[in-house]
Amino acid sequence: METQDFVAIDFETMTPELTSACAIGLVRVHNGVISQKFYSLIKPIPDSRTERNTHVHGLTDEMVADAPTFSELFPLLKSFIEDLPIVCHNSSTDINIFRSCMEYYGLTGIDLSHYVDTLELYGKGLKACCEENGIQLVNHHDALADAEACAKLYLCYQGHLAKDLAHYDLKEVMANKEARKYDHDTLMPLSEEDVENKDTIFFQKKVVITGIFCAYPDRDELGSILKSFGADINTTISGKTNIVIVGEGAGPSKLKKIEELNSKGKNIRLIYEKELCEIMNEITKH
């Protein structure tokens, strides 16, 4: 099963019992782009085990004593996951923790049979998988960090995320002028008759791209795609600019210029990566 819409999950437990969930991380992915994150401590269901997993994740009984119970969090979890497939790294742990906690409280409404296990796909631990795929895992065994890493691993597996841009120093990338260059042809707009699909928001619009993007790490490639839809790719913001595609680390001077122009009556549209991916997905459907 391959899908660009899913929710990656990770649990941490206080004891070896599956019902002792003490933290949860959820990462929602839409059209291959991380769109929402959620993290919460959980007050564990009591058990008789004396062992503690504090040495693994750093959480203590005192830290989770006043946290919401799994039952109290459940309506939020249900609205976050909806009917999307779940992705985790080691279903025998995470799915069974989810199932055990739901059964303990008599809860229903989340389909746990529809999941993808990245451990089965890769055959290695989360840390090793991240290292091999250039994904930064800063805080292993933090539920949200692990859930996000799992989400990116599944996107890598599907070919939607070649490298995690967070793995690189953002200032370094932005300082590298070569990484921001366009081929000469990209900056030469197509004639109207050469544009096969004129039914997009980019047709005959002056478009500026600023920042870097997970889905389109090569700016020239993104510029070429937009050019094929009839966009006139520009490198500077002006009163004639119609659309600005905004990525991570977008130039503050460009954003300030847009704000100034729009305050004077211009109507420059800002499109961030999540919306860009949604627009691209809609275009490719037709």
Side-chain angles (χ1 to χ4, degrees):
M1 179 189 71
E2 291 196 4
T3 175
Q4 293 189 62
D5 296 315
F6 60 87
V7 174
I9 70 166
D10 184 76
F11 282 100
E12 299 298 328
T13 58
M14 187 55 73
T15 78
E17 293 292 332
L18 293 173
T19 51
S20 70
C22 61
I24 185 172
L26 300 175
V27 174
R28 185 167 174 143
V29 175
H30 179 60
N31 286 343
V33 178
I34 290 174
S35 60
Q36 200 173 355
K37 302 176 189 179
F38 174 78
Y39 174 84
S40 180
L41 295 174
I42 304 171
K43 185 175 183 177
I45 296 166
D47 61 63
S48 58
R49 304 291 286 263
T50 57
E51 305 101 311
R52 291 291 181 269
N53 293 331
T54 302
H55 67 284
V56 176
H57 47 59
L59 300 175
T60 64
D61 290 329
E62 292 73 24
M63 292 168 70
V64 297
D66 296 323
T69 65
F70 182 87
S71 180
E72 290 168 337
L73 282 173
F74 192 72
L76 193 153
L77 303 182
K78 198 157 72 166
S79 66
F80 192 102
I81 296 172
E82 295 181 322
D83 59 352
L84 293 173
I86 291 171
V87 176
C88 60
H89 198 82
N90 192 359
S91 58
S92 64
T93 298
D94 291 300
I95 296 298
N96 284 334
I97 290 171
F98 218 140
R99 185 174 287 118
S100 297
C101 290
M102 284 176 64
E103 288 175 355
Y104 180 90
Y105 288 110
L107 301 168
T108 60
I110 294 179
D111 181 8
L112 297 177
S113 64
H114 193 30
Y115 66 83
V116 175
D117 187 341
T118 51
L119 176 60
E120 292 180 2
L121 297 179
Y122 285 91
K124 294 183 180 181
L126 185 65
K127 188 175 180 182
C129 289
C130 287
E131 287 173 354
E132 288 186 3
N133 288 278
I135 294 171
Q136 190 176 36
L137 181 56
V138 176
N139 196 10
H140 190 22
H141 295 301
D142 171 89
L144 184 58
D146 285 1
E148 184 168 354
C150 179
K152 290 176 177 177
L153 272 179
Y154 188 46
L155 291 173
C156 279
Y157 184 80
Q158 297 182 87
H160 300 305
L161 181 67
K163 292 288 182 183
D164 179 2
L165 291 175
H167 187 65
Y168 305 99
D169 187 300
L170 185 59
K171 290 180 181 177
E172 208 173 280
V173 174
M174 295 307 293
N176 181 0
K177 292 185 179 180
E178 291 300 315
R180 293 179 286 164
K181 279 188 176 180
Y182 295 102
D183 286 343
H184 180 264
D185 286 350
T186 305
L187 299 176
M188 302 296 291
L190 296 175
S191 60
E192 184 175 347
E193 56 269 24
D194 289 333
V195 179
E196 291 185 12
N197 184 358
K198 300 180 178 64
D199 190 25
T200 79
I201 63 167
F202 303 111
F203 182 60
Q204 294 187 336
K205 295 292 192 295
K206 292 189 178 295
V207 177
V208 174
I209 302 169
T210 182
I212 55 179
F213 306 83
C214 276
Y216 301 95
D218 185 332
R219 186 182 292 189
D220 184 67
E221 180 185 3
L222 176 56
S224 295
I225 293 169
L226 299 181
K227 173 187 170 178
S228 73
F229 300 139
D232 178 2
I233 304 299
N234 292 188
T235 57
T236 57
I237 306 288
S238 73
K240 295 181 179 179
T241 303
N242 304 114
I243 296 171
V244 178
I245 311 295
V246 185
E248 189 176 359
S253 59
K254 282 189 171 73
L255 297 176
K256 187 175 180 182
K257 184 77 176 288
I258 295 165
E259 189 178 335
E260 289 173 354
L261 288 168
N262 282 346
S263 69
K264 294 176 181 176
K266 299 295 180 182
N267 187 26
I268 299 172
R269 177 175 174 177
L270 300 182
I271 298 178
Y272 291 85
E273 181 161 8
K274 178 177 179 294
E275 185 184 3
L276 174 65
C277 289
E278 290 172 351
I279 291 168
M280 292 295 202
N281 191 51
E282 282 300 312
I283 291 172
T284 54
K285 279 182 182 178
H286 301 293

